[in-house]
Amino acid sequence: MDEKRIALVTGGGRGIGRAISLELARAGYYTIVNYRAGKESAEKTVADLVAAGGQGEAVCFDVADGAATKAAIAELLKRHKWVDVVVNNAGVTADGMFAMMPENDWHKVLSTTLDGFYHVTKPLLMRMVARKRGSIINISSVSGTLGNRGQVNYSAAKAGIIGASRSLAAEVAGHGIRVNVVAPGFIDTDMIKDVKADEVAKHIPLGRIGRPEEVAKAVRFLASDDASYITGNVLMVTGGMA
Ligand code: NDP
């Protein structure tokens, strides 16, 4: 890489986000690891990526909080001037049958994914336009493409992010910016700690749940110039679930 390239990974300290942070740092990006509550994990992720020869920092903000995110991104841009790669990875579940779903569980899940995408991506976009370069990768889910019992809120958020990504891809393609989606299936993180892996694996063509690193490699590919002709795309990392 000819000049410093900078990546921001929301929720980059744990689970899939941690694997993405490590992978992008290994690929040479200065990697900004965002977290909301998991300071220790985020700092450990940064320490690990530095130990592996990379560079980065941990930054705390809640992507669902517009004012806090705006202030944090402004501060980042003051120091770094631009961000080349944004990975909107932060996400939460609040599962339950729709008929019984508390309003708060509906809003919490949608606001983390959809408001989070807006709060994080919008202030970074104009810098990308000015540089005529950028790659935005949004993490959806097989739940957003297939649907899943007990996840009406999560499916709505994860399907919504696909629509947003496709529209934004069309808007910014002429400015040299690509927008893509990675939709993981069942991946071994805290998010699915209550899922019985053996049971779920029976419904996955490749016969097992996935590893965070397998999602991270797909993200690294889409972030890179190797994916220079790919935008508005949804890459399923699901072991064949479709
Ligand atoms: P984890 O529960 O392991 O981690 C969630 C991450 O999101 C944490 O880093 C957390 O930060 C961060 N986060 C949550 N809310 C916020 C917020 N408001 N602001 C900033 N960060 C936040 O989940 P996974 O790693 O499994 O999930 C990562 C992404 O992948 C999510 O978007 C998820 O929906 C998606 N996904 C996961 C699948 C799976 O099977 N695991 C399948 C399909 C999609 P903190 O540590 O600070 O709490």
Side-chain angles (χ1 to χ4, degrees), residues 65-88:
D65 180 337
T69 303
K70 197 172 177 181
I73 301 266
E75 195 280 325
L76 280 174
L77 286 175
K78 214 180 274 176
R79 286 190 292 121
H80 293 294
K81 307 284 182 272
W82 68 79
V83 169
D84 298 284
V85 172
V86 184
V87 185
N88 287 300

Side-chain angles (χ1 to χ4, degrees), residues 29-52:
Y29 292 90
Y30 180 96
T31 303
I32 301 162
V33 177
N34 156 257
Y35 66 96
R36 176 197 47 176
K39 184 167 194 269
E40 214 169 289
S41 325
E43 286 177 349
K44 170 143 183 16
T45 296
V46 172
D48 289 349
L49 69 82
V50 168

Side-chain angles (χ1 to χ4, degrees), residues 176-178 180 221-231:
I177 301 163
R178 296 180 297 103
N180 288 292
F221 166 66
L222 289 172
S224 77
D225 290 344
D226 289 345
S228 53
Y229 201 53
I230 302 176
T231 196

Side-chain angles (χ1 to χ4, degrees), residues 19-216:
I20 295 169
S21 297
L22 293 170
E23 187 72 28
L24 291 180
R26 228 183 337 263
Y29 292 90
Y30 180 96
T31 303
I32 301 162
V33 177
N34 156 257
Y35 66 96
R36 176 197 47 176
K39 184 167 194 269
E40 214 169 289
S41 325
E43 286 177 349
K44 170 143 183 16
T45 296
V46 172
D48 289 349
L49 69 82
V50 168
Q55 287 182 286
E57 65 184 284
V59 173
C60 179
F61 57 90
D62 176 344
V63 299
D65 180 337
T69 303
K70 197 172 177 181
I73 301 266
E75 195 280 325
L76 280 174
L77 286 175
K78 214 180 274 176
R79 286 190 292 121
H80 293 294
K81 307 284 182 272
W82 68 79
V83 169
D84 298 284
V85 172
V86 184
V87 185
N88 287 300
N89 164 79
V92 290
T93 50
D95 294 354
M97 289 299 151
F98 185 64
M100 261 86 80
M101 185 174 288
E103 198 173 333
N104 189 45
D105 285 356
W106 173 259
H107 290 300
K108 184 169 73 180
V109 171
L110 265 78
S111 90
T112 305
T113 293
L114 296 178
D115 296 347
F117 160 75
Y118 175 85
H119 295 148
V120 171
T121 310
K122 187 164 171 279
L124 296 173
L125 195 62
M126 288 318 288
R127 300 286 176 114
M128 290 183 172
V129 168
R131 279 170 57 75
K132 298 185 172 36
R133 189 166 81 195
S135 178
I136 298 163
I137 296 143
N138 298 318
I139 307 299
S140 177
S141 165
V142 71
S143 181
T145 57
L146 292 184
N148 194 16
R149 274 170 56 91
Q151 291 199 317
V152 171
N153 48 1
Y154 187 70
S155 299
K158 295 301 190 180
I161 199 67
I162 292 175
S165 303
R166 288 188 166 139
S167 294
L168 185 59
E171 286 184 16
V172 298
H175 297 283
I177 301 163
R178 296 180 297 103
V179 186
N180 288 292
V181 174
V182 170
F186 288 91
I187 308 296
D188 187 12
T189 69
D190 291 348
M191 187 171 274
I192 64 156
K193 63 181 185 311
D194 298 331
V195 166
K196 290 192 177 68
D198 290 351
E199 278 306 307
V200 166
K202 291 179 193 154
H203 305 284
I204 302 173
L206 284 180
R208 63 172 175 84
I209 61 170
R211 296 184 293 273
E213 295 73 21
E214 292 174 309
V215 180

